Amino acid sequence: MKTSAILLLLFSYTAGAQNRTPATDTTGSPMPSATDTTLKRTADTTIRAAHAADTAIKSKRSLHEVVVSAGAFEASDKAKGASLTPIDAVTVAGSGGDISQALRSLPGAQQIGEQEGLFVRGGTGDETKQFIDGTLLRTPNYPSVPGVPQAARINPFLFKGILFSSGGYSALYGEAMSSALILESVDLPEKTSASFFVFPANLGAGMQHLAKNNRSSYGVSVGYSNQSLYNNIVPQKPDYFSGPLYLDGNANFRIKTGKTGMLKFYTSWGLSDVGMNNPDIDSGILKAGYQVKGWNSYNNLSFRSYLNNNWKIEVGTVYSYNRQETIQQLTNEKGNKVIIPYIPYSYKTGYRNITTDFAQARIVLTHFLSQGQALRFGAEQFYTHDHGRTNDSTIGLTDHLTAVFAESDIYLADNLAAKAGMRMEYASMLRKMVWAPRISVAYRLQDGSQFNLAYGIFYQEPANDFLYQSDQLTFSSATHYVLNYTRKANNRFFRAEVYYKQYKDLVKTMPVLSNNGKGYAQGIELFWRDKKSVKNLDYWITYTYLDTKRNFLNYPYELRPSFAAPHTTTVAVKKFFQDINTSVNISWALAAGRPYYNIGPNGISDQGNTKGYNAVNLHVAYLCSFLKNKKWKDFSGVAMGINNIAGTRQVFGYNYSYNGLIKQPVTMPATRNFFIGIFMSFGIDRTDDFLNNNL
């Protein structure tokens, strides 16, 4: 096999939120171009070849074209026409290579700029869970920092398929009341390769080796990011005194077993250190410091194989270790620590160190029946153990969650299909068992369009921070009702969806910790994508209407939550100019103002709506070759980007002083984000990798 080496020299200037580049991709997966040009076809061919055996088996059973898909956007290589692909998802201008950020361009997702996570259809970020090859990714992002979204831990190019289910998802998954982001990792790489990149705040290197018999591979990579130099050049709010610093690495191996088997192992680890000061809102002369240090290790082993023509087995195991140390303190103008023993200042000094061990084992068996029907059943076991301390108190918990599930694909007629399932969960910490029925029905019209109807109950355990305080809590739940219409033809796709969700047993912190909360969410979503009308132009437009209220946490009664905007519109446009080898990507997000509240012991003392969210992002890339006549031909280019072109001051809410007389807006660290870079690759066309990884 021919080994390739890659050199990337990228010079960047950023005047916006922290822009941490993920570690070099070592999955070896071919990267289709974000501009859908000729470069994409080679990669697509390779991906299709990697799935040939699996596709051949499934095609024998796929006798009907109707697909049950209420509540889900499928983004995989199996999708046809104008459906989203993984590269579509992560190359939206402004996404920063973060899948959760990219999926905010789809209907149902909120434009949340002050914290990480995916907020879907009136749900919190914790109500959306990510799954890799069927198993839960418990901590997808680096430790949270107030007001500054933290980067994703996992490289998005690890995946060949993305299924974003905004409601009514399969009984095979649980512990997510609002949404499931289901990710399928790549199999074998295209060829042996090596790579590294260097630019002011980020360094990285990696390699991927494919065996000569094309039946196994292994790879490693490492990345380092330190934003201190950047923060010294570009003024930021807050004032960082440590980092942000990130060090991460990953390794993998993949082995083909037999004719249809695939064994995959992926491990990653990461360190982070972010420390910042903000003016203390209560004193006016002190600084409120916040520092969080994190260490995380994630290990995923999965196996799948067809046992014979009628049976398939999928097995997965996960172990993750996560340690998070948080320090809060007040300092004076000389930087010396200040301890004030009375409220509210006593709340601003503290120490917390929590270690979490998480493990999961899962097995799914599929029995293929006649006429494309199938029966799936399986079980999974989750283990969570937390231990640590908060100030002078020791905290901890151990929880075992057991789940058993079954689901069937049923074809009632040539144009009528159903997917019915049931999921049982038992949590040892809650000492409670719940049953969650799920059903979806799809009806295909003669013109190829389709109606989908879905119903399901989705349970979720309270967050561990609440379980530390009480063992009398129970599951929270959301009941979903979804109806949608889809039409796909001539490389165009239209989707309209209405839904209703009813929340029960939400966690309340006032007047006492309990499950007395409740709420609802209902809305309408529209999605239109067109890759046909204009040559080399791909665009989509979305609209989301959300009506939601909930009584949870410290809310005195049902209120529209502070993370929910009633109206959201997004536009994504990608254009490739072949004559000048230039790609232009533009995204535009608009959202109505979100509510804010100052809630105290006596109720709401102040409330209102923020101004609307309005952000336009532009990315441009020129593709070229600097060494056209040399033995080692390079695949290179120049790229630039501007996020929030107009410099709009986004306001996401307000922080209040203890007496409620002062409020400060929660905004972005800086208004704009700029970069310009040069990239080079040798031996293998890695242009798309670095374009998609850094745009």
Side-chain angles (χ1 to χ4, degrees):
M1 288 294 171
K2 182 178 179 181
T3 302
S4 62
I6 303 168
L7 171 63
L8 172 67
L9 301 176
L10 183 61
F11 304 93
S12 67
Y13 169 76
T14 307
Q18 299 299 323
N19 183 20
R20 192 187 74 85
T21 303
T24 305
D25 175 29
T26 64
T27 64
S29 58
M31 304 300 173
S33 170
T35 55
D36 293 315
T37 64
T38 305
L39 290 173
K40 179 177 179 181
R41 297 170 187 166
T42 301
D44 288 340
T45 301
T46 305
I47 293 175
R48 287 194 297 270
H51 294 286
D54 191 46
T55 303
I57 293 174
K58 291 182 179 180
S59 64
K60 296 178 181 179
R61 303 183 177 94
S62 300
L63 303 180
H64 301 267
E65 295 181 359
V66 61
V67 178
V68 179
S69 61
F73 275 92
E74 188 173 66
S76 72
D77 297 310
K78 304 169 188 176
K80 305 297 182 182
S83 297
L84 298 178
T85 67
I87 297 303
D88 288 329
V90 299
T91 55
V92 176
S95 69
D98 188 320
I99 293 177
S100 294
Q101 293 281 349
L103 292 180
R104 293 177 184 179
S105 68
L106 295 181
Q110 294 290 298
Q111 303 300 314
I112 306 297
E114 72 275 26
Q115 59 181 303
E116 62 280 351
L118 198 57
F119 293 70
V120 179
R121 292 183 175 176
T124 67
D126 188 56
E127 294 174 22
T128 296
K129 292 294 192 294
Q130 298 184 24
F131 301 87
I132 297 179
D133 293 332
T135 52
L136 178 65
L137 177 61
R138 182 176 173 83
T139 53
N141 295 85
Y142 283 93
S144 293
V145 176
V148 183
Q150 293 301 290
R153 298 182 188 273
I154 302 296
N155 193 319
F157 301 116
L158 170 69
F159 309 109
K160 62 183 177 182
I162 301 172
L163 179 64
F164 172 46
S165 178
S166 54
Y169 60 88
S170 166
L172 274 61
Y173 303 94
E175 283 300 290
M177 281 197 297
S178 288
S179 176
L181 182 57
I182 301 167
L183 310 169
E184 182 182 4
S185 65
V186 299
D187 293 335
L188 294 175
E190 178 187 4
K191 61 192 300 184
T192 297
S193 62
S195 62
F196 68 92
F197 63 83
V198 180
F199 61 105
N202 301 278
L203 304 172
M207 59 81 62
Q208 184 72 30
H209 179 77
L210 178 65
K212 293 183 179 180
N213 62 3
N214 292 332
R215 293 187 60 84
S216 65
S217 70
Y218 63 87
V220 296
S221 78
V222 64
Y224 173 76
S225 174
N226 191 328
Q227 301 292 330
S228 298
L229 175 62
Y230 165 81
N231 292 335
N232 289 332
I233 298 174
V234 181
Q236 292 284 299
K237 182 183 179 182
D239 175 26
Y240 292 97
F241 63 81
S242 180
L245 182 149
Y246 307 90
L247 176 64
D248 54 52
N250 63 72
N252 65 76
F253 70 77
R254 310 175 185 93
I255 302 173
K256 277 189 175 181
T257 61
K259 294 182 180 180
T260 62
M262 177 61 68
L263 177 68
K264 295 188 285 188
F265 175 73
Y266 178 82
T267 180
S268 69
W269 56 267
L271 295 169
S272 65
D273 182 4
V274 181
M276 61 186 191
N277 283 319
N278 281 299
D280 177 56
I281 194 172
D282 288 294
S283 67
I285 59 173
L286 300 178
K287 290 185 177 181
Y290 187 97
Q291 184 175 16
V292 59
K293 299 178 181 180
W295 163 264
N296 177 270
S297 174
Y298 171 79
N299 307 274
N300 184 314
L301 178 66
S302 64
F303 173 75
R304 73 172 191 272
S305 180
Y306 287 92
L307 303 179
N308 54 40
N309 289 335
N310 298 317
W311 285 93
K312 180 182 180 181
I313 185 172
E314 297 170 275
V315 180
T317 59
V318 161
Y319 170 74
S320 68
Y321 170 89
N322 190 74
R323 181 167 62 86
Q324 183 172 323
E325 181 183 20
T326 305
I327 303 170
Q328 291 179 271
Q329 63 181 16
L330 292 172
T331 56
N332 59 25
E333 64 275 8
K334 295 182 179 180
N336 298 323
K337 183 177 179 180
V338 177
I339 298 178
I340 303 176
Y342 52 85
I343 296 173
Y345 303 104
S346 58
Y347 293 155
K348 303 179 183 183
T349 300
Y351 176 80
R352 177 183 173 112
N353 192 335
I354 304 294
T355 298
T356 300
D357 293 283
F358 171 78
Q360 179 187 359
R362 170 186 171 95
I363 183 171
V364 180
L365 291 170
T366 303
H367 181 45
F368 298 101
L369 306 172
S370 61
Q371 296 183 333
Q373 301 182 108
L375 173 65
R376 300 177 192 85
F377 56 92
E380 54 190 349
Q381 180 75 25
F382 301 84
Y383 167 81
T384 304
H385 177 63
D386 281 15
H387 58 94
R389 66 186 180 94
T390 297
N391 297 325
D392 296 327
S393 301
T394 300
I395 58 176
L397 64 82
T398 299
D399 182 44
H400 298 269
L401 177 69
T402 303
V404 179
F405 47 82
E407 182 179 77
S408 62
D409 295 335
I410 306 169
Y411 286 94
L412 305 174
D414 287 346
N415 60 348
L416 183 64
K419 184 186 294 289
M422 177 67 74
R423 182 180 179 90
M424 183 280 293
E425 295 182 353
Y426 174 79
S428 64
M429 188 75 183
L430 307 180
R431 302 181 301 278
K432 185 175 180 61
M433 179 186 295
V434 292
W435 295 85
R438 317 270 175 88
I439 185 169
S440 298
V441 179
Y443 178 74
R444 178 168 50 86
L445 304 177
Q446 292 183 351
D447 62 0
S449 59
Q450 185 170 310
F451 282 99
N452 302 279
L453 179 65
Y455 162 83
I457 301 177
F458 302 84
Y459 289 95
Q460 185 169 336
E461 287 188 274
N464 285 3
D465 281 343
F466 301 125
L467 295 177
Y468 296 151
Q469 305 173 51
S470 172
D471 61 358
Q472 301 301 311
L473 298 176
T474 188
F475 286 95
S476 300
S477 69
T479 303
H480 295 204
Y481 304 86
V482 183
L483 172 64
N484 78 20
Y485 169 80
T486 61
R487 177 175 171 79
K488 183 192 304 181
N490 300 322
N491 236 1
R492 299 184 182 95
F493 180 76
F494 173 74
R495 171 175 170 151
E497 185 157 309
V498 296
Y499 66 90
Y500 175 78
K501 287 198 301 185
Q502 184 179 30
Y503 288 99
K504 293 182 179 179
D505 299 323
L506 297 178
V507 173
K508 288 278 295 177
T509 57
M510 295 293 291
V512 295
L513 186 61
S514 67
N515 282 103
N516 293 332
K518 62 179 181 178
Y520 74 90
Q522 58 188 3
I524 301 172
E525 298 170 0
L526 302 175
F527 179 77
W528 166 255
R529 186 175 188 183
D530 183 1
K531 300 175 66 177
K532 178 72 173 178
S533 298
V534 180
K535 184 179 180 181
N536 294 326
L537 177 70
D538 175 16
Y539 73 92
W540 66 75
I541 302 172
T542 77
Y543 169 74
T544 297
Y545 168 71
L546 172 63
D547 171 23
T548 182
K549 287 185 178 181
R550 56 168 57 192
N551 182 1
F552 80 135
L553 301 181
N554 65 341
Y555 283 22
Y557 45 84
E558 284 195 1
L559 297 169
R560 183 156 60 94
S562 58
F563 50 79
H567 304 279
T568 304
T569 297
T570 63
V571 179
V573 181
K574 303 177 183 182
K575 171 67 175 177
F576 185 72
F577 298 90
Q578 287 184 316
D579 294 341
I580 56 175
N581 286 335
T582 300
S583 166
V584 178
N585 291 354
I586 300 174
S587 68
W588 183 19
L590 288 168
R594 289 156 43 187
Y596 62 86
Y597 310 100
N598 184 26
I599 303 176
N602 298 321
I604 300 175
S605 60
D606 184 48
Q607 62 180 309
N609 289 315
T610 65
K611 68 176 185 178
Y613 179 87
N614 185 354
V616 179
N617 307 312
L618 170 67
H619 292 168
V620 180
Y622 170 67
L623 309 181
C624 63
S625 177
F626 295 129
L627 305 173
K628 295 181 180 179
N629 299 321
K630 303 297 181 179
K631 179 179 179 180
W632 286 84
K633 183 179 178 181
D634 67 296
F635 302 90
S636 308
V638 179
M640 64 164 291
I642 306 174
N643 292 342
N644 195 22
I645 295 175
T648 306
R649 186 171 183 262
Q650 316 292 354
V651 177
F652 304 112
Y654 289 89
N655 292 323
Y656 288 85
S657 62
Y658 182 72
N659 59 18
L661 300 179
I662 302 173
K663 66 179 181 181
Q664 295 176 345
V666 178
T667 61
M668 297 168 58
T671 55
R672 293 185 180 90
N673 179 314
F674 303 93
F675 80 86
I676 184 169
I678 299 173
F679 56 89
M680 298 180 65
S681 63
F682 296 91
I684 181 173
D685 186 353
R686 289 289 186 178
T687 300
D688 300 327
D689 298 38
F690 291 109
L691 272 178
N692 296 325
N693 213 11
N694 292 291
L695 291 189

